[in-house]
Amino acid sequence: MYRIGLGYDVHAFAGGRDLILGGVLIPYERGLLGHSDADVVAHALADACLGALRAGDIGELFPDTDPAFEGANSIELLRRVGDLVRERGWRVHDADCVIVAQEPKLSKYRDLMRENLAGALGIRIDALGLKATTTEHLGFEGRKEGIAAQAVVLLVDCH
Ligand code: MG
């Protein structure tokens, strides 16, 4: 009747790229490197849904060898994962996400990111939590080499 899913993703910083997190363009000196727009939290959330669905992962669904997904808007990819959840007879009941970044400060973009991510999954904004943390300068996130994100979802059986 319930299933849980866990998602994790990492992208490295690179110059000359926009920083897109939760579908929001965040002003920063660098962006994240990736075949798509490298929206690391959208990817983690999509993978959490696919994990709960037992439907593989986003690398399988949207291969980075496929030119169709070059520069892809990850909120659109997440929307497609949300559609798949419904097609398979499940509903996203609740979700929570963490973005791990030493920089930039993300608190003022939090509700906008929640709105975009929840909207893509077709759920209410209060069904999706999101927070950001630093790692106190430890590890690759702390050295500002990249950003990581984690997400969990709870699916409810609608069959
Ligand atoms: Mg990714």
Side-chain angles (χ1 to χ4, degrees):
M1 131 157 358
Y2 296 104
R3 279 195 186 163
I4 56 167
L6 171 69
Y8 175 71
D9 196 29
V10 172
H11 283 267
F13 277 125
R17 298 262 309 174
D18 287 336
L19 178 59
I20 312 278
L21 292 172
V24 180
L25 176 61
I26 314 264
Y28 190 57
E29 64 208 37
R30 292 174 296 167
L32 294 173
L33 194 61
H35 185 67
S36 67
D37 62 7
D39 188 335
V40 67
V41 65
H43 293 180
L45 188 55
D47 258 354
C49 293
L50 293 170
L53 271 187
R54 320 295 187 239
D57 58 54
I58 52 168
E60 227 173 281
L61 218 60
F62 311 116
D64 63 6
T65 48
D66 187 336
F69 304 118
E70 185 156 1
N73 176 342
S74 298
I75 291 293
E76 283 310 311
L77 304 184
L78 184 60
R79 197 181 308 280
R80 288 169 61 170
V81 169
D83 291 343
L84 187 65
V85 170
R86 282 181 292 276
E87 281 163 24
R88 297 266 179 110
W90 296 83
R91 179 173 63 80
V92 177
H93 181 71
D94 205 61
D96 194 22
C97 311
V98 190
I99 300 173
V100 186
Q102 193 64 44
E103 280 182 359
K105 287 264 170 268
L106 297 171
S107 52
K108 67 176 169 189
Y109 307 106
R110 178 165 60 188
D111 286 343
L112 210 49
M113 291 191 271
R114 290 176 62 214
E115 209 172 287
N116 289 341
L117 295 166
L121 289 178
I123 61 175
R124 289 163 37 155
I125 188 168
D126 64 356
L128 187 134
L130 189 149
K131 55 232 161 305
T133 185
T134 72
T135 58
E136 301 290 340
H137 301 282
L138 296 170
F140 67 85
E141 303 100 324
R143 291 189 298 270
K144 300 177 219 169
E145 293 168 4
I147 293 183
Q150 297 182 36
V152 289
V153 300
L154 180 66
L155 300 188
V156 182
D157 193 340
C158 296
H159 289 95

